Amino acid sequence: TQLLEQSPQFLSIQEGENLTVYCNSSSVFSSLQWYRQEPGEGPVLLVTVVTGGEVKKLKRLTFQFGDARKDSSLHITAAQPGDTGLYLCAGAEGYGGSQGNLIFGKGTKLSVKP
Amino acid sequence: GAVVSQHPSRVICKSGTSVKIECRSLDFQATTMFWYRQFPKQSLMLMATSNEGSKATYEQGVEKDKFLINHASLTLSTLTVTSAHPEDSSFYICSAIPTGGWSNQPQHFGDGTRLSIL
């Protein structure tokens, strides 16, 4: 069974600070997705990374997929209160035409205080 | 695009009641849909994979007779929690993958259903 360790579990910072969230696994994933979830709502996709070593930027968010496709990080620059939420990483099993299951990390609950 | 609608958003009912939750892909077809359960302050746990026209695949520990899944069309999957009890209270979320397309397409999630059993 593949596991995805996400850390930290909780993070409370002041507006303007930088932060990094990590997802690590001993297994290889075909792709890895980052989601953000607000209370009482479903997860919303932020990004999908597919290639080992891939870096994607989404405004102040930078996502990186490890060279071996076993780990990923999310870095937020100059965090704002609007970034508050639950961030989830999810690794996809399966390759090619296989629509594999997602293995979710436990999530990082981020709170950005003004 | 890729909108998934889940209904109802909230259900409160008495113990012993059966509850049906619908998951619809509004602007795409989905051969495969997934049902998750999320307890407070925890991550999403996959319950089952719903396949159009065939039986669902359940994860270990999930009772298929209690959580009935029907995926009768390419745009609709339903989850029925039969004879629900207070311990079934949770946040249930569905997701769908567009049929066809590239192999690493992400799952698109509904907004979830908050189920409270009294």
Side-chain angles (χ1 to χ4, degrees):
Chain A
T1 302
Q2 292 179 303
L3 293 175
L4 202 52
E5 298 289 337
Q6 187 172 346
S7 63
Q9 192 172 352
F10 300 98
L11 194 55
S12 180
I13 60 173
Q14 292 295 130
E15 182 176 1
E17 293 183 11
N18 302 331
L19 66 114
T20 304
V21 178
Y22 299 93
C23 270
N24 296 289
S25 175
S26 58
S27 303
V28 176
F29 293 104
S30 59
S31 67
L32 194 138
Q33 287 138 28
W34 285 91
Y35 293 86
R36 179 177 156 189
Q37 186 181 21
E38 301 287 347
E41 298 181 9
V44 174
L45 179 70
L46 295 174
V47 78
T48 299
V49 285
V50 178
T51 307
E54 183 176 5
V55 176
K56 281 191 174 180
K57 292 193 174 183
L58 187 64
K59 296 183 180 179
R60 294 176 292 101
L61 279 61
T62 302
F63 305 85
Q64 187 164 7
F65 202 14
D67 291 340
R69 301 206 309 277
K70 294 182 178 181
D71 53 85
S72 181
S73 64
L74 157 60
H75 182 78
I76 301 180
T77 303
Q80 298 177 0
D83 295 327
T84 295
L86 179 68
Y87 289 83
L88 296 160
C89 63
E93 300 175 305
Y95 290 85
S98 172
Q99 301 285 0
N101 294 347
L102 281 181
I103 306 297
F104 277 88
K106 289 190 174 182
T108 295
K109 190 168 177 62
L110 172 65
S111 174
V112 182
K113 299 178 180 178
Chain B
V3 176
V4 175
S5 174
Q6 197 171 331
H7 179 80
S9 58
R10 187 176 179 95
V11 180
I12 302 173
C13 57
K14 294 181 179 179
S15 184
T17 306
S18 291
V19 178
K20 180 186 283 188
I21 303 170
E22 293 187 348
C23 180
R24 292 181 185 273
S25 55
L26 296 186
D27 50 1
F28 64 97
Q29 293 184 332
T31 306
T32 303
M33 292 185 176
F34 300 89
W35 287 96
Y36 294 85
R37 182 165 50 184
Q38 186 177 31
F39 291 106
K41 299 182 181 180
Q42 295 188 24
S43 189
L44 281 72
M45 296 298 295
L46 180 66
M47 298 176 64
T49 303
S50 172
N51 301 295
E52 187 269 336
S54 64
K55 291 183 179 180
T57 303
Y58 290 81
E59 294 300 300
Q60 192 172 9
V62 178
E63 299 176 57
K64 54 184 168 184
D65 293 332
K66 180 162 186 69
F67 299 99
L68 301 178
I69 291 173
N70 183 278
H71 194 156
S73 78
L74 287 172
T75 60
L76 174 65
S77 176
T78 62
L79 168 68
T80 301
V81 183
T82 61
S83 187
H85 292 285
E87 59 266 29
D88 297 323
S89 298
S90 188
F91 192 51
Y92 292 85
I93 309 174
C94 71
S95 71
I97 298 177
T99 300
W102 53 289
S103 60
N104 285 310
Q105 289 198 92
Q107 295 181 19
H108 299 278
F109 286 83
D111 277 340
T113 297
R114 172 72 61 192
L115 176 61
S116 299
I117 307 298
L118 306 177

